[in-house]
Amino acid sequence: MNNSYDIVIIGAGPAGCAAALTLRESGLTVAIIDKEKFPRDKVCGDAIPGPAFKVMHKINPLWADEMKEFTLAHKIKTGQVTAPNGKTMKLDWVTFSYNSKRIDFDNYLFNLVKTETSATIIESKRLKDISIDKNHVTCQFTDNSAIQASIVIACDGANSVVRRKFSEEVTNKDNICTAVRAYYKDVEGIQPGVNEFHFFTDLAPGYFWIFPLENGWVNIGFGILQKKSDNTKKPINLRNALHQIVNQMPSISPRFKNATLMQEVKGFGLPLGVNQNSVSGSRFMLCGDAASLIDPLQGHGIDHAMTSGHLAGIQAIKCFEADKFDASFIKQYDQALYAKIGKELSRNTFFLRIGSLFPWLLNIAVTIGQNQRLIERIVRFLKI
Ligand SMILES: Cc1cc2nc3c(=O)[nH]c(=O)nc-3n(C[C@H](O)[C@H](O)[C@H](O)COP(=O)(O)OP(=O)(O)OC[C@H]3O[C@@H](n4cnc5c(N)ncnc54)[C@H](O)[C@@H]3O)c2cc1C
């Protein structure tokens, strides 16, 4: 293994793969390094948002078509929202999206990197520490090896080593949502092509989801803002909350009476894009969850991870063309990123705050939402 590259990408999730695919014709030496051996699981709702396909289309239209045809994917056209008062509305999405288990989807993306780029692939290698001097980035790994590069693209997820070392952002409870996910089989009342979102008065601000997958499997989960669960005298135990919903909630539990849990319940954090912090500095860029880019309202982050990975790849090429790696030059990445997704993050942060303060508003929204023309206008406005 070489120990010096032009660019090192840490993390081979959607952000890292988008960066590596963007760099494929750059002529630069690239290494992409992940602590796991793929295929690997990632705790997620498994809903691949429509904009992820648009990013792939920018990278290579043929791959975007291939991604749409991805055989294990389940096409989704509608979101169904059930308010705490039990009223339901359906939103037919403008852009199509797919549900696909992340173990399959991420492996598919990483295989594209393996087969279509000349990047050096390094699996089962965990970044322990990183240092940056005037001329180099040095990555140190838990196996005591080290790799040097001119620039690092940090796509190492919600617990990013690079963000903790270099970003001024303090991850606080305002911008972290925690969630648990479980796979079930044979849940009743599943509508093909429909993702369900259920809101409950005593479990706000958070929601329970049921997303259909292939072969009768469903991905279910429950997520809530950490701040809320800390403020209450009795913190919400997410696993217990999920168990309670599935086994006791009158609107849900009858649907699970013949269902089988297929895998242990797993939890993970969602760094929400509420603050729009700096995501770069001298010789480094943060992407995806490492940059806290998850949509605060809907909880999707795969699309933003791919957008940021793609833009970081473009910025890295510019750095080599101009031979500039200083923080002010790399700042162009922040500008390009927030020009692309900043408005959406601000708008959905606003809706999150309003929804957290006045959870009963959802009852009104869903009641109004039974007006189909209004719904179409909302869907167009939110671009979902
Ligand atoms: C419960 C839950 C449900 C969600 N549901 C959805 C959903 O339905 N749709 C959606 O769009 N988004 C969803 N998200 C958000 C989505 O999962 C993330 O936004 C997305 O995975 C971010 O991609 P990423 O590439 O930045 O990070 P990740 O997908 O987390 O990839 C990071 C990679 O870095 C590797 N890594 C981490 N640390 C190191 C290290 N020290 N050294 C080397 N490698 C390292 C990891 O192994 C991993 O492969 C959900 C998140 C959670 C927690």
Side-chain angles (χ1 to χ4, degrees), residues 10-15 34-36 38 40 42-47 49 102 125-127 155-157 161 179 209 211 268-270 288-289 294 299-302 305:
I10 306 289
D34 201 287
K35 66 180 171 56
E36 304 290 337
F38 279 58
R40 62 99 179 92
K42 159 76 181 87
V43 179
C44 185
D46 297 335
R102 289 291 296 277
K125 199 174 188 63
R126 181 189 282 265
L127 182 73
C155 306
D156 49 339
V161 171
W209 70 81
F211 295 168
F268 208 70
L270 292 86
D289 283 9
I294 293 184
H300 57 85
I302 298 168

Coordinates of all heavy atoms in Angstrom, one line a residue, residues 10-15 34-36 38 40 42-47 49 102 125-127 155-157 161 179 209 211 268-270 288-289 294 299-302 305, ligand 1:
I10 N -12.0 9.9 3.6 CA -12.3 9.1 4.8 C -13.8 8.8 4.8 O -14.6 9.7 4.9 CB -11.9 9.7 6.1 CG1 -10.4 10.2 6.1 CG2 -12.1 8.7 7.3 CD1 -9.4 9.1 6.0
G11 N -14.2 7.5 4.7 CA -15.6 7.1 4.7 C -16.1 6.8 3.3 O -16.0 7.6 2.4
A12 N -16.7 5.6 3.1 CA -17.2 5.2 1.8 C -18.7 5.1 1.8 O -19.3 4.2 1.1 CB -16.5 3.9 1.4
G13 N -19.4 5.9 2.6 CA -20.9 6.0 2.5 C -21.2 6.8 1.2 O -20.4 7.1 0.4
P14 N -22.5 7.3 1.2 CA -22.9 8.0 0.0 C -22.0 9.3 -0.3 O -21.7 9.6 -1.5 CB -24.3 8.4 0.3 CG -24.8 7.4 1.3 CD -23.6 7.0 2.1
A15 N -21.6 10.0 0.8 CA -20.8 11.2 0.6 C -19.4 10.8 0.0 O -19.0 11.4 -1.0 CB -20.6 11.9 1.9
D34 N -12.3 3.1 4.5 CA -13.5 3.0 5.5 C -13.1 2.0 6.6 O -12.3 1.1 6.4 CB -14.7 2.4 4.7 CG -16.0 2.7 5.5 OD1 -16.2 2.1 6.5 OD2 -16.7 3.6 5.1
K35 N -13.6 2.2 7.7 CA -13.3 1.4 8.9 C -14.0 0.0 8.7 O -13.6 -1.0 9.4 CB -13.7 2.0 10.2 CG -15.2 2.2 10.4 CD -15.4 2.9 11.7 CE -16.9 3.3 12.0 NZ -17.9 2.3 11.8
E36 N -15.0 -0.1 7.9 CA -15.7 -1.4 7.7 C -15.3 -2.1 6.5 O -14.8 -1.5 5.6 CB -17.2 -1.1 7.6 CG -17.8 -0.3 8.8 CD -17.9 -1.1 10.1 OE1 -17.9 -2.3 10.0 OE2 -17.9 -0.4 11.1
F38 N -17.0 -3.9 3.4 CA -18.4 -3.8 2.7 C -18.7 -5.2 2.2 O -17.8 -5.9 1.8 CB -18.4 -2.8 1.6 CG -18.6 -1.4 2.1 CD1 -17.7 -0.8 3.0 CD2 -19.6 -0.6 1.6 CE1 -17.9 0.5 3.5 CE2 -19.8 0.7 2.1 CZ -19.0 1.2 3.0
R40 N -21.7 -3.4 4.3 CA -21.9 -3.1 5.8 C -23.2 -2.5 6.0 O -23.7 -1.7 5.1 CB -20.7 -2.3 6.3 CG -20.6 -0.9 5.7 CD -21.2 0.2 6.6 NE -21.1 1.6 6.0 CZ -22.0 2.1 5.2 NH1 -23.0 1.5 4.8 NH2 -21.8 3.4 4.8
K42 N -26.0 0.2 7.7 CA -26.0 1.5 8.2 C -27.4 1.8 8.7 O -28.4 1.6 8.0 CB -25.6 2.5 7.1 CG -26.0 4.0 7.3 CD -25.1 4.7 8.2 CE -25.6 6.1 8.5 NZ -26.6 6.3 9.5
V43 N -27.5 2.2 10.0 CA -28.8 2.4 10.6 C -29.4 3.6 9.8 O -28.9 4.7 9.8 CB -28.7 2.7 12.1 CG1 -30.1 3.0 12.7 CG2 -28.0 1.6 12.8
C44 N -30.6 3.4 9.2 CA -31.2 4.4 8.3 C -32.7 4.0 8.1 O -33.1 2.8 8.4 CB -30.4 4.4 7.0 SG -31.0 5.6 5.8
G45 N -33.5 4.9 7.6 CA -34.8 4.5 7.2 C -34.9 3.9 5.8 O -35.9 3.4 5.4
D46 N -33.7 3.9 5.1 CA -33.6 3.2 3.8 C -34.4 3.9 2.7 O -34.6 3.3 1.6 CB -34.0 1.7 3.9 CG -33.1 0.9 4.8 OD1 -31.9 1.3 5.0 OD2 -33.5 -0.1 5.3
A47 N -34.8 5.2 2.9 CA -35.5 5.9 1.9 C -34.5 6.7 1.1 O -33.9 7.6 1.7 CB -36.6 6.8 2.5
P49 N -33.7 9.5 -1.2 CA -34.5 10.6 -1.8 C -34.2 10.9 -3.3 O -33.1 10.7 -3.7 CB -34.0 11.8 -0.9 CG -33.2 11.3 0.2 CD -32.7 9.9 -0.3
R102 N -29.8 -0.1 3.2 CA -28.5 0.6 3.0 C -27.4 -0.4 2.8 O -26.4 -0.1 2.1 CB -28.2 1.5 4.2 CG -29.1 2.7 4.3 CD -28.8 3.7 3.2 NE -27.4 4.3 3.3 CZ -27.0 5.3 4.0 NH1 -27.9 5.9 4.8 NH2 -25.8 5.7 4.1
K125 N -10.1 -0.2 7.9 CA -9.0 0.7 8.4 C -9.7 1.9 9.0 O -10.3 2.7 8.4 CB -8.1 1.1 7.3 CG -6.7 1.5 7.7 CD -5.9 1.7 6.5 CE -4.4 2.0 6.8 NZ -3.7 1.0 7.5
R126 N -9.5 2.1 10.3 CA -10.2 3.1 11.1 C -9.3 4.3 11.4 O -8.2 4.2 11.9 CB -10.7 2.6 12.4 CG -11.5 3.6 13.3 CD -11.7 3.0 14.6 NE -12.9 2.1 14.6 CZ -14.1 2.4 14.9 NH1 -14.4 3.7 15.2 NH2 -15.0 1.5 14.9
L127 N -9.7 5.5 10.9 CA -9.0 6.7 11.2 C -9.0 7.0 12.7 O -10.1 6.9 13.3 CB -9.6 7.9 10.5 CG -8.9 9.3 10.7 CD1 -7.6 9.3 9.9 CD2 -9.8 10.4 10.3
C155 N -15.7 12.2 5.0 CA -17.0 11.7 4.8 C -17.3 10.6 5.9 O -17.9 9.6 5.6 CB -17.2 11.1 3.4 SG -16.7 12.3 2.1
D156 N -16.7 10.8 7.1 CA -16.7 9.8 8.1 C -17.9 9.8 9.1 O -17.8 9.4 10.2 CB -15.4 9.7 8.8 CG -14.9 11.0 9.4 OD1 -15.3 12.1 8.9 OD2 -14.1 11.1 10.3
G157 N -19.0 10.4 8.6 CA -20.3 10.2 9.2 C -20.5 11.0 10.5 O -19.7 12.0 10.8
V161 N -14.2 11.9 13.0 CA -12.9 12.3 13.7 C -12.4 13.6 13.2 O -11.9 14.4 14.0 CB -11.9 11.2 13.4 CG1 -10.5 11.5 13.9 CG2 -12.3 9.8 14.0
A179 N -32.4 8.2 16.7 CA -33.5 7.4 16.2 C -33.1 5.9 16.3 O -31.9 5.6 16.4 CB -33.7 7.7 14.7
W209 N -41.9 5.8 11.7 CA -42.1 5.5 10.2 C -42.3 4.0 9.9 O -41.8 3.2 10.7 CB -40.9 6.1 9.5 CG -39.6 5.4 9.6 CD1 -39.2 4.3 9.0 CD2 -38.5 5.8 10.4 NE1 -37.9 4.0 9.4 CE2 -37.5 4.9 10.2 CE3 -38.3 6.9 11.3 CZ2 -36.2 5.0 10.9 CZ3 -37.1 7.0 12.0 CH2 -36.1 6.0 11.8
F211 N -41.6 2.0 6.3 CA -41.2 2.2 4.9 C -41.1 0.7 4.3 O -40.3 -0.1 4.8 CB -39.8 2.8 4.8 CG -39.8 4.3 5.2 CD1 -38.6 4.9 5.4 CD2 -40.9 5.0 5.5 CE1 -38.5 6.3 5.8 CE2 -40.9 6.4 5.9 CZ -39.7 7.0 6.0
F268 N -29.0 5.2 16.2 CA -27.9 6.1 15.7 C -28.3 7.5 15.8 O -29.5 7.8 15.8 CB -27.5 5.7 14.3 CG -26.1 6.0 14.0 CD1 -25.0 5.2 14.6 CD2 -25.7 7.0 13.1 CE1 -23.7 5.5 14.3 CE2 -24.4 7.2 12.8 CZ -23.4 6.5 13.4
G269 N -27.4 8.5 15.7 CA -27.7 9.9 15.7 C -27.8 10.5 14.3 O -27.2 10.0 13.4
L270 N -28.6 11.5 14.2 CA -28.8 12.3 13.0 C -28.4 13.7 13.2 O -29.1 14.5 13.8 CB -30.2 12.3 12.5 CG -30.9 11.0 12.0 CD1 -31.5 10.2 13.2 CD2 -32.0 11.2 11.0
G288 N -21.5 15.4 4.1 CA -22.6 14.5 4.6 C -22.8 14.7 6.1 O -22.8 15.8 6.6
D289 N -22.9 13.6 6.8 CA -23.2 13.7 8.3 C -22.0 14.3 9.0 O -22.2 15.0 10.0 CB -23.5 12.3 8.8 CG -24.9 11.9 8.5 OD1 -25.6 12.5 7.7 OD2 -25.3 10.8 9.0
I294 N -28.1 16.9 7.6 CA -29.4 16.2 7.5 C -30.6 17.1 7.5 O -30.6 18.1 8.3 CB -29.6 15.1 8.6 CG1 -28.5 14.0 8.3 CG2 -31.0 14.5 8.6 CD1 -28.6 12.8 9.3
G299 N -35.6 14.4 7.9 CA -34.6 13.5 8.4 C -33.8 12.8 7.3 O -33.1 11.8 7.5
H300 N -34.0 13.3 6.0 CA -33.2 12.6 5.0 C -31.8 13.3 4.9 O -31.7 14.5 5.0 CB -33.9 12.6 3.6 CG -34.3 14.0 3.1 ND1 -33.4 14.8 2.4 CD2 -35.4 14.7 3.3 CE1 -34.0 15.9 2.2 NE2 -35.2 15.9 2.6
G301 N -30.8 12.4 4.6 CA -29.4 13.0 4.5 C -28.6 12.4 3.4 O -27.5 12.8 3.1
I302 N -29.1 11.3 2.7 CA -28.4 10.6 1.7 C -28.1 11.6 0.5 O -27.0 11.7 -0.1 CB -29.1 9.4 1.2 CG1 -29.2 8.4 2.4 CG2 -28.4 8.7 0.0 CD1 -30.2 7.2 2.1
A305 N -25.7 14.2 1.5 CA -24.3 13.6 1.6 C -23.7 13.5 0.1 O -22.6 13.9 -0.1 CB -24.4 12.2 2.2
Ligands
LIG1 C1 -32.2 6.1 12.1 C2 -31.9 6.9 10.9 C3 -32.7 6.9 9.8 C4 -32.4 7.6 8.7 N1 -33.2 7.6 7.6 C5 -32.9 8.2 6.4 C6 -33.7 8.0 5.3 O1 -34.6 7.3 5.3 N2 -33.3 8.7 4.1 C7 -32.2 9.5 4.1 O2 -31.9 10.1 3.1 N3 -31.4 9.6 5.2 C8 -31.7 9.0 6.4 N4 -30.9 9.1 7.4 C9 -29.6 9.9 7.3 C10 -28.6 9.1 6.5 O3 -28.4 7.8 7.0 C11 -27.3 9.9 6.5 O4 -27.5 11.2 6.3 C12 -26.3 9.4 5.5 O5 -26.0 8.0 5.7 C13 -25.0 10.2 5.4 O6 -24.1 9.7 4.5 P1 -22.5 9.9 4.8 O7 -21.8 9.3 3.7 O8 -22.3 11.3 5.2 O9 -22.3 9.0 6.2 P2 -22.4 7.5 6.4 O10 -23.4 6.9 5.5 O11 -22.6 7.3 7.9 O12 -21.0 6.8 6.0 C14 -19.9 7.1 6.8 C15 -18.8 6.1 6.5 O13 -17.6 6.4 7.2 C16 -17.1 5.3 7.8 N5 -16.3 5.7 9.0 C17 -16.8 6.3 10.1 N6 -15.8 6.6 11.0 C18 -14.7 6.2 10.4 C19 -13.3 6.2 10.8 N7 -12.9 6.7 11.9 N8 -12.4 5.7 9.9 C20 -12.8 5.3 8.7 N9 -14.1 5.2 8.3 C21 -15.0 5.7 9.1 C22 -18.3 4.4 8.2 O14 -18.0 3.1 8.3 C23 -19.2 4.7 7.0 O15 -19.1 3.7 6.0 C24 -31.2 8.4 8.6 C25 -30.3 8.3 9.7 C26 -30.6 7.6 10.8 C27 -29.6 7.5 12.0

